[in-house]
Amino acid sequence: MKTNKKGWKIFYIILGFFLGLFLLFLSTLLGFRIPLRWTVIKEVMGYSEPENAFILVVGQDSIEPRRSDTIILVGINSQIDEILLFSIPRDSRLLVPGRGYDKVNHSYAQGGIGLLRQTLESALGIKIPYFVEVDYEGFEKVIDALGGVEIEVEKPLKYVDRAQDLYIDIPAGEQLLDGEKALQYVRFRYDPLGDIGRIKRQQEFLQALLSKVDNDPLLLARLPQLIESTRGALTTNLTGDYLKQLIMWFQGLNERIIKMETMPGESIYVNGVSYWEPDLETSREIVQKFFFARREDIENSREDSIGQESGGE
């Protein structure tokens, strides 16, 4: 009985997460961004700004044991009203606690989300309290529930790997990608740029997805299907309270500033194995500077910039 209750609790958290996303992106369409209205809602719901935090988002591949095919560190900073999407190449060579240097996605296969979090926390010098895991099937269902995503495919994408049951065949040009084709698009990495090229496509897809949910007049009609699609699509430890804070904070922003970064580094070979050798010093600077940035720092920087411009006239 306890297991069943726990399962339903997780489902309601996931449901709340996607309901929150729906409300966030539908708000502009329905004209909910009215300061007075949100002031009233915040008072009724007992709103407080969400604490700055990192959320580890992992896309699972289909090979057992499951590996992290996509790794994105989402940063929330309510002090400066910004969101950071920090993509981490799956072949990044990092020190895995208790196991030595290895590809970062192998840490997920060896110890699940817990070991992956430890690896990234140690490498970047941060704490990652929250995570979201998404599998391939769940990704396809969510995109289909949204009615697909329009995107400009820069070149023909073709690849076949029968061992992974992977068949990619997407022509070049602007087109509407359903769940199956969208998954092929974000998984493709079989060109000279490899995983870095794939991360670029994933970021472009995220931009197109945000544009889709922010401007789709039929999203309300798709909500029941979207909710049903998420039931088995995600695993997360995000709490209902933190999700509520995120929703209210995001809705109150005059501008939604989303920064996209990729862990800097270079391709190397170690004992004949290809790795992405990350520049950890620069990576730590990116994520820590974002996390610890404060509103007064931004305001002082703007004042200094204005002062310099005035002095130069």
Side-chain angles (χ1 to χ4, degrees):
M1 180 67 78
K2 289 184 179 179
T3 302
N4 188 43
K5 288 182 178 179
K6 184 178 180 181
W8 277 106
K9 183 178 180 181
I10 292 174
F11 165 65
Y12 283 126
I13 290 175
I14 294 171
L15 175 60
F17 176 75
F18 269 88
L19 280 173
L21 286 178
F22 170 75
L23 290 174
L24 295 180
F25 297 122
L26 191 65
S27 62
T28 302
L29 179 65
L30 299 181
F32 284 168
R33 300 176 68 85
I34 301 175
L36 177 60
R37 185 177 299 179
W38 277 105
T39 299
V40 173
I41 293 175
K42 288 177 179 179
E43 289 179 356
V44 171
M45 296 186 69
Y47 168 78
S48 60
E49 282 190 345
E51 293 183 352
N52 290 6
F54 288 107
I55 305 168
L56 180 58
V57 179
V58 176
Q60 301 172 334
D61 67 18
S62 56
I63 301 174
E64 295 293 345
R66 292 290 183 94
R67 290 179 295 184
S68 48
D69 195 54
T70 299
I71 306 171
I72 300 176
L73 187 64
V74 180
I76 304 296
N77 189 324
S78 60
Q79 280 287 312
I80 59 174
D81 294 337
E82 291 184 4
I83 296 172
L84 172 69
L85 300 180
F86 189 71
S87 296
I88 300 167
R90 54 179 272 171
D91 292 339
S92 296
R93 184 173 177 266
L94 296 177
L95 182 60
V96 180
R99 299 176 184 270
Y101 281 94
D102 203 347
K103 294 185 178 183
V104 67
N105 70 330
H106 289 176
S107 68
Y108 186 78
Q110 295 164 351
I113 194 70
L115 186 57
L116 176 59
R117 287 166 71 187
Q118 290 178 38
T119 300
L120 293 176
E121 286 177 341
S122 176
L124 298 172
I126 59 174
K127 290 295 183 182
I128 308 173
Y130 302 113
F131 68 85
V132 177
E133 297 172 284
V134 188
D135 62 25
Y136 286 164
E137 184 179 356
F139 176 87
E140 289 187 15
K141 287 181 178 179
V142 170
I143 299 303
D144 284 336
L146 287 169
V149 174
E150 288 189 6
I151 197 163
E152 178 77 29
V153 180
E154 77 281 9
K155 63 182 179 182
L157 306 179
K158 292 189 177 185
Y159 182 77
V160 174
D161 186 337
R162 292 182 175 82
Q164 295 188 55
D165 193 27
L166 177 59
Y167 301 88
I168 297 176
D169 187 4
I170 305 175
E174 186 173 350
Q175 55 201 283
L176 179 68
L177 300 181
D178 61 11
E180 180 181 3
K181 289 297 184 181
L183 181 59
Q184 291 179 19
Y185 182 78
V186 299
R187 290 190 67 188
F188 183 84
R189 64 173 188 150
Y190 306 96
D191 60 14
L193 291 176
D195 203 33
I196 301 305
R198 182 176 67 160
I199 286 176
K200 179 177 179 291
R201 280 183 289 274
Q202 289 173 349
Q203 292 176 342
E204 291 173 350
F205 182 82
L206 283 174
Q207 292 281 19
L209 178 61
L210 290 174
S211 177
K212 164 77 174 184
V213 296
D214 211 13
N215 298 286
D216 186 0
L218 299 177
L219 199 56
L220 183 60
R222 296 192 180 106
L223 184 58
Q225 183 184 355
L226 182 59
I227 293 172
E228 183 64 26
S229 300
T230 63
R231 288 190 63 172
L234 301 177
T235 302
T236 182
N237 69 340
L238 282 164
T239 66
D241 286 342
Y242 192 68
L243 282 169
K244 181 183 74 173
Q245 291 172 348
L246 283 178
I247 294 167
M248 300 301 292
W249 166 69
F250 201 75
Q251 269 302 298
L253 298 182
N254 292 322
E255 293 184 29
R256 299 170 180 173
I257 301 177
I258 301 177
K259 293 185 174 180
M260 293 189 178
E261 300 275 3
T262 300
M263 177 177 274
E266 62 180 351
S267 296
I268 65 168
Y269 280 88
V270 178
N271 297 324
V273 179
S274 174
Y275 292 91
W276 180 255
E277 183 71 12
D279 180 344
L280 290 182
E281 183 178 351
T282 302
S283 296
R284 292 188 191 107
E285 182 180 354
I286 291 171
V287 297
Q288 293 182 16
K289 184 177 180 180
F290 171 84
F291 184 81
F292 290 110
R294 294 294 180 263
R295 190 171 289 120
E296 52 268 27
D297 297 334
I298 302 299
E299 292 173 352
N300 291 337
S301 177
R302 288 172 180 168
E303 290 176 1
D304 291 343
S305 177
I306 293 173
Q308 291 174 3
E309 291 177 0
S310 299
E313 292 178 357

